């Protein structure tokens, strides 16, 4: 069974979200606020194997941070409150200790921020899903911790170091197509970051695919609508076309991490290009 769980909503600059696409084109379907920001969601995914009850959480949103960071994120991203842990409980009845695996598509702050949380009582940051094994691409971790002027602002390095300190929780992988539990595999795509990975779920003859930042919203189905944040946009273009053709042929259920309206849907093609047939509830 799979289920979308949300860590809340935030906003990013519309120009940065759509790269080379001019504003008069993108703003029709993505109206911007007075600071030119567009609303985005933090859609994470829970996957549960009914037989073994192994539970995988894919990405962890922005998470609960200390006052200073919270204030900064409120100002820059209009991020009000992290609600992932309470949504996991309200929707699935699960507590943080019940999560067996966390998969991070990559380690940007809006995908791995909730890996850890700020504990008010102890005044320090701690690992959130403390029984889980966190599956991270080795190259992504190296890129996250490297000092790079272009990418420093995208990572919460102190939070990432806390995960590194919890050696029993961290599993570094450096290959594509690794199966985590039966039917659930990571697919390395690159593009957004050099080691970005997606998650493919196959069960009972059906396939679901979590796109991460390869195709963050339905608007990004258009091949050339690629985020300005992407470090390797031509790799994004190549992987998008490859995966979308396969997704259409095999009728995959797609999960969009940042779309505030359509978290999930099936791909259709008409004369204007790719379309999404929305699905509200996923089982
Ligand atoms: Zn993102």
């Amino acid at each position: 069974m799979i289920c979308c769980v949300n860590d809340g909503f935030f906003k990013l600059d519309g120009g940065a979200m759509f790269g080379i696409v001019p504003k008069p084109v993108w703003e029709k379907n993505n109206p911007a606020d007075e600071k030119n920001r567009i609303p985005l969601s933090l859609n994470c995914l829970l996957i549960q194997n009914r037989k073994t009850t192994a539970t995988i959480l894919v990405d962890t949103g922005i998470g609960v941070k200390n006052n200073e960071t919270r204030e900064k994120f409120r100002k820059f991203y209009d991020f009000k409150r992290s609600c992932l842990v309470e949504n996991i409980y309200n929707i699935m009845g699960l507590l943080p200790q019940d999560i067996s695996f966390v998969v991070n598509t990559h380690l940007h702050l809006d995908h791995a921020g909730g890996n850890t949380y700020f504990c008010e009582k102890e005044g320090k940051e701690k690992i959130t899903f403390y029984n889980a094994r966190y599956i991270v691409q080795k190259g992504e971790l190296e890129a996250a911790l490297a000092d790079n002027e272009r990418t420093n602002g995208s990572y919460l390095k102190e939070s990432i170091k806390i995960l590194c300190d919890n050696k029993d929780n961290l599993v570094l992988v450096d290959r594509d197509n690794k199966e985590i539990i039966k039917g659930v595999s990571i697919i390395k795509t690159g593009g957004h970051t050099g080691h970005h990975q997606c998650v493919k779920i196959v069960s009972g003859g059906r396939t679901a695919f979590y796109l991460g930042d390869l195709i963050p919203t339905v608007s990004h189905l258009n091949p050339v609508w690629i985020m300005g944040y992407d470090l390797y946009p031509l790799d994004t273009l190549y992987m998008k076309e490859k995966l979308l053709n396969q997704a259409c042929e095999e009728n995959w259920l797609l999960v969009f991490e940042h779309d505030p309206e359509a978290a999930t849907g099936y791909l259709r093609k008409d004369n204007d290009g790719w379309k999404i047939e929305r699905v509200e509830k996923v089982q």
Side-chain angles (χ1 to χ4, degrees):
M1 187 200 51
I2 64 170
C3 175
C4 278
V5 280
N6 175 294
D7 189 40
F9 296 87
F10 73 131
K11 291 177 177 173
L12 287 175
D13 183 85
M17 279 305 289
F18 297 113
I20 60 167
V21 183
K23 185 174 181 185
V25 180
W26 60 253
E27 75 176 346
K28 282 183 207 146
N29 292 325
N30 300 271
D33 71 3
E34 70 290 350
K35 292 181 178 165
N36 206 45
R37 300 174 305 184
I38 61 162
L40 296 166
S41 184
L42 294 158
N43 299 320
C44 307
L45 187 72
L46 263 181
I47 306 160
Q48 194 168 49
N49 182 313
R50 283 209 178 95
K51 279 189 203 134
T52 64
T53 73
T55 306
I56 301 176
L57 173 65
V58 186
D59 277 353
T60 59
I62 289 177
V64 176
K65 298 290 143 194
N66 66 22
N67 276 340
E68 192 193 332
T69 309
R70 211 157 36 205
E71 192 45 40
K72 195 171 95 186
F73 287 178
R74 197 194 56 73
K75 203 169 122 200
F76 289 163
Y77 309 130
D78 198 22
F79 179 66
K80 294 183 179 74
R81 200 173 69 83
S82 163
C83 52
L84 179 64
V85 169
E86 69 186 69
N87 280 340
I88 292 174
Y89 184 74
N90 290 340
I91 298 168
M92 301 280 287
L94 297 172
L95 295 166
Q97 60 262 41
D98 299 325
I99 305 298
S100 339
F101 296 93
V102 171
V103 176
N104 288 130
T105 56
H106 59 302
L107 294 173
H108 281 171
L109 63 90
D110 55 327
H111 299 259
N115 284 359
T116 54
Y117 72 103
F118 184 74
C119 173
E120 291 285 350
K121 217 165 91 191
E122 295 180 41
K124 65 174 186 181
E125 215 167 300
K126 297 176 76 173
I127 197 148
T128 312
F129 305 99
Y130 51 87
N131 288 329
R133 311 193 79 197
Y134 285 65
I135 314 285
V136 173
Q137 285 286 334
K138 185 168 173 280
E140 175 65 18
L141 180 69
E142 285 164 5
L145 296 177
D147 186 20
N148 179 312
E149 283 174 326
R150 170 77 154 85
T151 61
N152 280 345
S154 305
Y155 294 107
L156 294 166
K157 291 181 199 251
E158 294 311 313
S159 303
I160 294 168
K161 282 178 192 158
I162 289 175
L163 177 60
C164 295
D165 291 342
N166 287 269
K167 290 198 168 50
D168 293 344
N169 294 95
L170 181 61
V171 180
L172 292 176
V173 290
D174 61 358
R175 65 187 182 96
D176 186 17
N177 219 337
K178 180 184 161 61
E179 194 170 59
I180 299 160
I181 60 169
K182 196 174 177 328
V184 182
S185 311
I186 48 174
I187 308 292
K188 201 167 149 183
T189 66
H192 180 62
T193 64
H195 299 266
H196 178 277
Q197 57 186 355
C198 293
V199 179
K200 187 177 181 182
I201 306 110
V202 181
S203 172
R206 296 188 300 168
T207 300
F209 198 84
Y210 186 84
L211 293 157
D213 267 349
L214 184 73
I215 304 177
T217 75
V218 170
S219 296
H220 293 88
L221 286 171
N222 185 318
V224 294
W225 290 44
I226 293 171
M227 289 191 280
Y229 300 110
D230 283 24
L231 297 178
Y232 307 96
L234 295 180
D235 293 347
T236 305
L237 179 68
Y238 170 78
M239 284 308 291
K240 257 166 110 161
E241 302 220 285
K242 184 178 159 199
L243 287 168
L244 288 178
N245 283 319
Q246 197 182 352
C248 190
E249 265 165 39
E250 298 176 7
N251 203 30
W252 295 357
L253 178 72
L254 297 179
V255 184
F256 297 91
E257 185 155 11
H258 289 317
D259 199 299
E261 277 158 26
T264 53
Y266 291 99
L267 199 58
R268 304 285 177 255
K269 198 169 198 177
D270 66 17
N271 291 338
D272 298 326
W274 298 114
K275 292 279 160 347
I276 279 296
E277 195 180 294
R278 280 169 65 168
V279 180
E280 298 305 336
K281 280 234 174 278
V282 195
Q283 285 293 311

